[in-house]
Amino acid sequence: MTPQWITFSPRGDERGVLVAIESDHDIPFTLKRVYTLTGLLPGGVRGGHAHKRLRQVIVCLAGSCVIDLDDGEQTFSVPLDDPASGLVLEPMIWHEMREFSAGCVLMVLASDHYDEADYIRDRAAFMKCAKTASA
Ligand code: TYD
């Protein structure tokens, strides 16, 4: 797994920057849900789970943070700080977001509605599933 980025096409002029994200066109799935993370604390950690089937794209709309990615074999820590780029988060990637700057705003585009049954929140269970999948 290598972190995969989507670069959107910012339309900037003297009035500011507009970024349009269209379902199926600018992201590799049909968009069914958008959620945001705001009021994030500098020492806090979000995430700490993987999804079984859900596909997501994470965009940092303001400020910055770090996201740790782990597919059970490889780990990556990458900065999120560009409102014109989205990080693709495929299923079976354990992820944690941390080191939130003041005013950090994250927007997540998701391929399906919220379903708690799609989460793997237990780290040992995730490692077991990841090993089984790669065997
Ligand atoms: P969770 O996905 O665990 O947050 P994070 O990964 O950012 O730490 O979700 C936190 C809570 O919000 C949890 O009780 C589930 C709920 N939730 C929804 O109801 N709908 C949603 O779309 C999401 C993402 C979470």
Side-chain angles (χ1 to χ4, degrees), residues 33-35 37 45-49 51 56 95 97 113-114 116 119 121:
R33 175 167 51 115
V34 177
Y35 61 93
L37 294 168
V45 177
R46 302 294 311 230
H49 59 253
H51 286 280
Q56 302 188 97
H95 55 282
M97 290 82 85
H113 300 136
Y114 172 71
E116 184 60 34
Y119 282 72
R121 293 191 184 272

Side-chain angles (χ1 to χ4, degrees), residues 54-119:
L54 188 71
R55 303 180 74 193
Q56 302 188 97
V57 171
I58 303 183
V59 185
C60 184
L61 295 179
S64 64
C65 69
V66 172
I67 183 167
D68 299 323
L69 307 170
D70 180 356
D71 67 1
E73 290 189 340
Q74 288 180 289
T75 61
F76 294 89
S77 290
V78 292
L80 289 174
D81 56 11
D82 178 8
S85 297
L87 179 69
V88 182
L89 193 54
E90 295 289 6
M92 291 306 293
I93 306 290
W94 189 270
H95 55 282
E96 291 186 5
M97 290 82 85
R98 59 183 169 85
E99 290 184 30
F100 302 105
S101 72
C104 179
V105 174
L106 297 178
M107 175 178 72
V108 185
L109 313 174
S111 65
D112 214 337
H113 300 136
Y114 172 71
D115 178 9
E116 184 60 34
D118 188 66
Y119 282 72

Side-chain angles (χ1 to χ4, degrees), residues 21-37:
I21 303 171
E22 295 197 3
S23 178
D24 297 301
H25 293 173
D26 300 296
I27 54 173
F29 50 78
T30 300
L31 181 63
K32 285 205 180 165
R33 175 167 51 115
V34 177
Y35 61 93
T36 59
L37 294 168

